[in-house]
Amino acid sequence: MSVISEEHVRGGSVFKDISADDDDWQPTEIESLCMNCYKNGTTRLLLTKIPFFKEIILSSFSCANCGWTNTEIQSAGRIQEQGVCYTLKVKTKEDLNREVVKADSATTRIPELDFEIPAFTQKGSLSTIEGLLDRAVAGLEQDQVVRRATHPEVAVKIEEFIQKLRKLKEVENEFTLVIEDPSGNSFVENPVAPQKDEALTVAFFKRTVQQDIQLGIKADDDLDEEPAGNDLETMRNEVLTFNTNCPECNAPASTNMKLVQIPHFKEVIIMATNCDSCGHRTNEVKSGGATEALGTKITLHITDPSDMTRDLLKSETCAVIIPELEFELGMAALGGKFTTLEGLLKDIKDLTVSKNPFICGDSSTADRIQKLREFGEKIDKIIVGELDVHVILDDPAGNSYLQNVYAPEPDPEMTVEKYARSFQQNEELGLNDMKTENYEEKNNVPAVPGGTE
């Protein structure tokens, strides 16, 4: 039996990159009960890292007595700050080959068939769209023999539904696949990266209290407490510190938070986390004000390498577009950032090339690797001033900013456009259901004559 050695534990992390050169790092084997024949089989556990999922636990069971096998994947990393919802329009058979990381907390839906796989009814898996459909069919077929004997009418209806699921793999008609994961640890491949995937929509959302309870990060009787009041002037003049965990190695770390006034713009909250264990550093920016009445679209024509030093505030609702490269980065992909234009471009390169989960291992193809490397080279050329492009910051919430180096005079290479948000943009920002007009009347609360003082 292979076990996790003390040297690995003392090394700082039991999760390690898979390497063919490391002969000492082998799966842990545990004798366990087979749920098919009720004799003893073997479970193999491997604690490792993959590019998107970070730390994971790979589990594989096999029984030498009856031949039954079972595999599953579990996320060993932290739960993300926001949930994620992927909506994919499956139009061709090639879409069935898209790779999917589906956490056990994810709900899978096919609206056209009124079909849903609830959260926590399946184990996490690394598969394809076709694999998800096959797994759903296998689950429905599991008890069909018993149903045909005890409830033949139900068995007939389920068989008809199974045929509809199988027919989806022919892709004779377009259908929609929705994967909604409150933990934020699921993922659907974009095969045209770094370009925008027109068939795939990614939306981030704030978890409800019920979802927090299901994920185990809130107790059943946990009540929302009123935040303690802080003097605003005191918060502006000091750095607040609170304990957290490192997003890379999960070791205890500290996050610093401070209110900062950006000249010619507004007040923002900057949060920075430094990990003493692994050296990882991260920063995030939150808007300190309300959602603006109009969206903001900032277009900068990069004409000189000095443009790379411009201060930039990208809120988590801001999309980044580079038309010359046919590139679009959706909102929340990089989170909120207060950096320079050069820093933003380097983060885009890291996200699309260095940290892309489908550029390494068995998932990679020569064409995809070449295309992403060429994109990374173009980003490098933009940074050194060898490529003439436009960078567009499109923020429907109006909370993003790009420094005007000619302030207070207009910048000849930069345009700032204010626009009215569409219904879909208001929906993504959660504004359509936020009604504040005539609140007292709608809730049968009598208004105070003459106003309140």
Side-chain angles (χ1 to χ4, degrees):
M1 179 181 293
S2 172
V3 296
I4 301 173
S5 64
E6 294 182 4
E7 287 77 9
H8 285 115
V9 176
R10 288 198 300 266
S13 176
V14 296
F15 298 94
K16 194 172 182 181
D17 297 326
I18 295 178
S19 174
D21 300 328
D22 192 350
D23 296 332
D24 296 331
W25 193 256
Q26 298 294 335
T28 299
E29 296 184 358
I30 302 173
E31 186 177 3
S32 51
L33 181 68
C34 174
M35 301 308 295
N36 187 51
C37 67
Y38 298 103
K39 296 181 180 179
N40 284 343
T42 302
T43 296
R44 294 175 176 84
L45 298 174
L46 180 63
L47 284 67
T48 184
K49 300 178 182 179
I50 60 177
F52 171 75
F53 230 8
K54 298 182 180 177
E55 297 88 359
I56 63 166
I57 301 174
L58 290 171
S59 172
S60 175
F61 175 83
S62 61
C63 179
N65 300 291
C66 66
W68 190 69
T69 61
N70 182 37
T71 60
E72 67 179 79
I73 180 175
Q74 293 181 358
S75 173
R78 59 184 296 152
I79 295 173
Q80 305 302 313
E81 291 186 2
Q82 290 182 308
V84 65
C85 180
Y86 291 90
T87 303
L88 175 66
K89 296 289 185 181
V90 181
K91 302 178 181 179
T92 65
K93 287 189 176 181
E94 286 73 19
D95 287 330
L96 297 177
N97 296 327
R98 291 176 184 247
E99 294 185 306
V100 179
V101 175
K102 177 183 173 295
D104 54 2
S105 58
T107 299
T108 306
R109 294 193 298 271
I110 302 177
E112 288 82 358
L113 298 185
D114 198 20
F115 175 69
E116 177 176 318
I117 303 175
F120 302 105
T121 57
Q122 289 184 347
K123 296 296 184 180
S125 63
L126 175 60
S127 182
T128 62
I129 302 296
E130 184 177 6
L132 291 180
L133 295 175
D134 289 339
R135 192 176 183 185
V137 169
L140 291 172
E141 286 183 333
Q142 186 173 2
D143 297 323
Q144 276 294 82
V145 175
V146 177
R147 290 194 195 98
R148 291 189 183 99
T150 57
H151 301 89
E153 299 85 0
V154 176
V156 170
K157 292 181 179 180
I158 292 179
E159 185 62 35
E160 292 174 354
F161 191 83
I162 290 174
Q163 296 306 319
K164 291 180 181 179
L165 280 176
R166 285 176 172 161
K167 195 174 182 180
L168 291 180
K169 295 199 295 182
E170 301 299 325
V171 199
E172 296 177 357
N173 298 308
E174 176 184 316
F175 69 93
T176 307
L177 179 72
V178 180
I179 297 179
E180 182 177 330
D181 183 10
S183 76
N185 284 328
S186 292
F187 185 77
V188 177
E189 177 191 8
N190 173 8
V192 296
Q195 277 76 37
K196 180 182 179 181
D197 191 342
E198 298 295 339
L200 182 65
T201 303
V202 184
F204 295 86
F205 60 89
K206 185 178 180 181
R207 285 186 293 269
T208 64
V209 175
Q210 184 61 35
Q211 288 172 330
D212 283 339
I213 292 174
Q214 289 178 342
L215 293 174
I217 57 180
K218 270 192 177 181
D220 292 348
D221 56 351
D222 194 9
L223 301 176
D224 292 332
E225 298 180 358
E226 290 294 327
N230 286 309
D231 182 72
L232 189 58
E233 201 59 41
T234 302
M235 293 181 65
R236 287 194 180 100
N237 297 328
E238 68 177 74
V239 177
L240 302 180
T241 303
F242 54 90
N243 297 326
T244 182
N245 292 89
C246 174
E248 284 295 324
C249 68
N250 210 35
S254 297
T255 295
N256 297 326
M257 181 178 71
K258 192 177 190 303
L259 285 171
V260 177
Q261 178 68 43
I262 297 179
H264 309 290
F265 190 53
K266 61 172 64 175
E267 200 168 51
V268 298
I269 302 171
I270 298 180
M271 295 185 292
T273 302
N274 296 328
C275 179
D276 295 332
S277 297
C278 68
H280 177 74
R281 295 184 178 183
T282 182
N283 67 79
E284 188 173 358
V285 175
K286 300 286 187 181
S287 173
T291 300
E292 298 292 325
L294 297 174
T296 302
K297 184 176 182 181
I298 305 172
T299 303
L300 174 67
H301 182 202
I302 299 177
T303 57
D304 190 87
S306 62
D307 287 328
M308 294 296 108
T309 62
R310 292 177 184 248
D311 288 333
L312 178 147
L313 172 66
K314 175 196 171 298
S315 77
E316 57 187 8
T317 59
C318 179
V320 181
I321 304 167
I322 306 177
E324 289 81 0
L325 302 188
E326 298 182 357
F327 172 78
E328 180 173 344
L329 183 74
M331 65 169 62
L334 281 174
K337 285 189 172 293
F338 184 45
T339 179
T340 61
L341 185 56
E342 180 181 2
L344 177 66
L345 292 175
K346 287 183 176 180
D347 287 339
I348 290 174
K349 179 183 175 182
D350 288 342
L351 179 68
T352 56
V353 181
S354 304
K355 298 180 181 179
N356 193 309
F358 301 111
I359 198 174
C360 57
D362 296 338
S363 302
S364 62
T365 62
D367 292 341
R368 181 182 297 165
I369 293 175
Q370 181 63 26
K371 182 166 61 173
L372 290 173
R373 284 178 177 169
E374 289 176 356
F375 177 79
E377 292 171 358
K378 291 178 180 178
I379 293 291
D380 291 334
K381 289 181 179 179
I382 295 174
I383 293 175
V384 298
E386 296 180 2
L387 200 58
D388 188 359
V389 299
H390 292 76
V391 174
I392 301 173
L393 302 179
D394 189 355
D395 187 359
N399 287 327
S400 293
Y401 162 83
L402 183 60
Q403 181 185 9
N404 174 6
V405 294
Y406 296 90
E409 300 298 326
D411 190 330
E413 302 299 336
M414 186 171 73
T415 60
V416 180
E417 175 189 350
K418 298 289 185 178
Y419 63 89
R421 287 184 291 269
S422 65
F423 179 86
Q424 182 61 33
Q425 287 173 323
N426 281 329
E427 186 71 19
E428 291 175 353
L429 294 175
L431 300 177
N432 289 333
D433 298 325
M434 192 180 296
K435 305 298 182 183
T436 58
E437 296 82 3
N438 304 320
Y439 179 81
E440 292 86 356
E441 297 178 7
K442 291 180 181 179
N443 290 275
N444 297 321
V445 177
V448 179
T452 57
E453 294 183 2

